[in-house]
Amino acid sequence: MKKICILGAGGFIGSHLVKKLIRTSEFNITCVDITKQKIEKIAGSKGFNFVNLDIRKSGDDFESLIKESDIVIDLIAYANPDLYIKIPLKVVELNLFENLKVADYCEKYNKWLIQFSTCEVYGKSDGSTNPLNPDTSDCILGPIRNQRWIYSCAKQLLERMLYAKGVYNNLQYTIIRPFNFVGPEMDFLVEDNSKDIPRVFPGFISSLLKGFSMKIVDMGENYRTWTYIDDAIDAIYLILKNEKQVRNEILNIGSYGNEIKVYELAILMKEIFEQITNKKIYECIEFVDGEKFYGKGYEDCDRRIPDTFKLNELGWKANYNLYDTMHTTINYYVKNYS
Ligand code: NAD
Ligand code: UGA
C-alpha cells in the first residue's frame, strides 16, 4: 500500500481529501497540520495517522516523514486575501520558503510532490473570457505597492522553482491550480465587522445565518468560477491515480461553466437561503471599498476561467453546476449552523 503524506490535511481541501482517501482504503495516510478540528471525527480510522507539526519549526522529524512516504501532497499556505494585506512577509515565508524546503526533501529522497498552487498565478485577465491554459497563458500581476499580488507572486516563484528543479535536478512533481473551491467547512464563520475576514462564501453565509449585511467589495463587479469541493476531490483523486500522465505537469482544477459576478453570487445565495429556510431576507447588502475593507494595497483579480483539458483527458468532468454547488453548500450550513 502506497504511503501518502498530506501537509495541511486539517484545512478545507485537506479535510475533504483525507475523508475521500480513507473511504477508498487504497493508501496509508499521514496527515500533518497544526490543527485537526476538521478531521477530528475520522481520527480513529484505519490507515490514518495525524502528526501535529508546524513545518516552520520542524527539522529532522519532518524530513523523516517525507523520507518514509511515497507521495507528498502539499496544501500548506496562507490562502486568504485578508492575510496578503495584513501579513505579506509571513505569506512569502510560508508559501514560498517553507514550501521550497518540502520540494528539497522530495528531491533528495526522490518522492512525487503534488504541490497546490493557485489560479491566482494567472493574475489579471483584463476581462478576457479565454479559458486559462496552464502551459501557454501569461501570468500578469499588478504593481508592487498593491500587496495583494504577493501571494500570487510567491506561488508563481514556487512553481518556477519546481519546474526548474524538474528540468535540472529530476524532481518529480505535479502542480495543481485550484479555481475557487467551495463546500462545507471552508475557512471559518464570522460576526459582523469581525477583524478577520474569511473568503467570500464563508463571509456571505455568516451574514445570512447571523442576520448582518453581506459586504460586497468594489460593487461586486469581478467574476469567479466556482468548483464544488466533491468535484475538486474527484479531480485530485484522478491525478493521484494517473501518476505517469501528470508527471511534471501543471493542471487547473475548476468548473468552467460555473462563472458568476460577485454581486450576483450574493443575490443567488440570498435566494437559495430564503428557499431553504422559508424566511424572507431584507436589506442584506452593503457595498464596501476594497482598500477600506481589506486595507491599503488590495486590488482584485477581475476574471479567471479554467481550461481543464488535461483533467478531461483523464476522464474528469464536473457534476455540480453553479446552482447545485451553492444549494448543497448552503443547505449544509443551514443544517449545521443555524
Ligand atoms: P486552508 O487554509 O483551509 O488549509 C491550509 C492548512 O495548512 C490549514 O489547515 C493550516 O492549519 C495548515 N498550515 C498552515 N501553516 C502551517 C504550518 N506552518 N505547519 C503545518 N500546517 C500549517 O486552505 P485550503 O483552502 O484548504 O487551501 C489549500 C491549498 O490550496 C493552499 O495551498 C491554497 O493556496 C491552495 N488553494 C486553495 C483554493 C481553494 O479554493 N480553497 C484555491 C486556490 C488555491
Ligand atoms: C482566493 C485566494 O486568493 C486563494 O485562496 C485562492 O487562490 C483563490 O481564492 C481561489 O479560491 O481560487 P479570491 O477569489 O479573491 O482569492 O477570494 P475570495 O476572498 O473568496 O474573494 C472572491 C471575490 O469576492 C473577490 O472579488 C472579493 O473582493 C469578493 N469579496 C470577498 C466580497 O465581495 N466580500 C467579501 O466579504 C469577501
Side-chain angles (χ1 to χ4, degrees):
M1 198 183 266
K2 283 206 168 158
K3 289 185 181 169
I4 302 191
C5 181
I6 306 182
L7 310 175
F12 168 52
I13 300 176
S15 57
H16 285 273
L17 178 62
V18 173
K19 285 172 197 161
K20 160 85 179 186
L21 295 183
I22 282 178
R23 280 197 302 275
T24 68
S25 309
E26 288 171 283
F27 300 96
N28 188 306
I29 308 158
T30 297
C31 296
V32 174
D33 208 305
I34 44 178
T35 165
K36 66 169 179 177
Q37 209 185 331
K38 294 180 185 176
I39 46 175
E40 201 87 69
K41 285 191 185 135
I42 48 167
S45 305
K46 203 165 163 248
F48 172 92
N49 173 30
F50 182 80
V51 182
N52 188 329
L53 183 144
D54 183 334
I55 63 162
R56 292 166 303 182
K57 296 177 185 152
S58 55
D60 294 350
D61 47 347
F62 183 42
E63 184 169 348
S64 303
L65 284 176
I66 300 212
K67 190 177 172 185
E68 287 156 14
S69 308
D70 299 301
I71 305 167
V72 176
I73 303 182
D74 184 7
L75 291 143
I76 290 179
Y78 289 122
N80 184 333
D82 184 35
L83 303 175
Y84 316 159
I85 309 292
K86 282 188 184 142
I87 50 163
L89 296 176
K90 288 190 173 151
V91 167
V92 179
E93 279 158 23
L94 184 68
N95 297 10
L96 176 60
F97 299 125
E98 294 299 336
N99 281 325
L100 265 180
K101 288 185 199 159
V102 175
D104 288 342
Y105 292 146
C106 288
E107 182 185 313
K108 183 171 171 187
Y109 297 111
N110 201 23
K111 307 297 178 184
W112 178 25
L113 170 62
I114 301 182
Q115 177 64 57
F116 273 73
S117 182
T118 173
C119 60
E120 281 207 20
V121 296
Y122 293 112
K124 302 175 175 197
S125 68
D126 286 336
S128 164
T129 52
N130 292 335
L132 295 160
N133 179 315
D135 297 328
T136 58
S137 292
D138 289 331
C139 303
I140 303 167
L141 305 187
I144 301 300
R145 63 176 60 223
N146 290 348
Q147 300 255 36
R148 190 257 162 68
W149 301 109
I150 205 161
Y151 166 80
S152 168
C153 189
K155 289 268 193 183
Q156 190 191 129
L157 186 52
L158 179 65
E159 286 197 18
R160 290 188 188 278
M161 292 289 289
L162 296 196
Y163 181 85
K165 278 172 172 287
V167 174
Y168 297 104
N169 300 352
N170 208 24
L171 173 71
Q172 295 162 56
Y173 68 88
T174 300
I175 292 170
I176 293 178
R177 293 181 181 167
F179 282 64
N180 290 78
F181 298 172
V182 66
E185 301 302 333
M186 188 176 177
D187 297 350
F188 47 89
L189 295 176
V190 283
E191 303 298 328
D192 198 7
N193 296 320
S194 164
K195 74 173 179 23
D196 296 319
I197 306 169
R199 284 173 281 189
V200 70
F201 183 92
F204 285 178
I205 196 70
S206 298
S207 300
L208 292 166
L209 288 168
K210 298 177 185 195
F212 61 89
S213 303
M214 292 183 269
K215 312 286 189 298
I216 313 276
V217 172
D218 297 334
M219 306 305 285
E221 283 295 309
N222 293 318
Y223 292 82
R224 291 293 185 272
T225 312
W226 296 97
T227 311
Y228 187 59
I229 189 70
D230 287 4
D231 281 333
I233 298 298
D234 286 350
I236 299 167
Y237 180 69
L238 269 177
I239 288 170
L240 264 171
K241 300 291 284 180
N242 288 280
E243 188 172 342
K244 274 202 191 112
Q245 288 95 314
V246 300
R247 210 26 102 66
N248 294 23
E249 293 286 342
I250 305 175
L251 292 96
N252 292 330
I253 299 182
S255 296
Y256 172 89
N258 292 355
E259 199 195 24
I260 191 168
K261 269 189 182 181
V262 173
Y263 175 74
E264 286 159 9
L265 174 72
I267 301 298
L268 178 66
M269 285 182 63
K270 167 189 160 316
E271 287 171 358
I272 294 175
F273 187 85
E274 287 178 332
Q275 277 167 25
I276 292 173
T277 57
N278 221 2
K279 272 196 288 197
K280 195 84 193 138
I281 310 243
Y282 300 96
E283 293 179 21
C284 62
I285 283 190
E286 180 185 339
F287 292 103
V288 294
D289 174 84
E291 288 206 322
K292 286 206 178 104
F293 188 60
Y294 287 107
K296 201 165 160 40
Y298 181 75
E299 185 184 1
D300 203 0
C301 304
D302 51 351
R303 190 164 205 166
R304 45 199 198 204
I305 303 170
D307 185 334
T308 54
F309 65 102
K310 293 187 193 176
L311 277 184
N312 304 130
E313 275 168 16
L314 301 180
W316 182 83
K317 78 172 183 37
N319 290 314
Y320 286 77
N321 63 23
L322 182 64
Y323 181 85
D324 294 342
T325 297
M326 292 300 155
H327 192 281
T328 310
T329 314
I330 294 170
N331 201 32
Y332 169 86
Y333 277 92
V334 170
K335 289 228 157 70
N336 289 279
Y337 291 100
S338 59

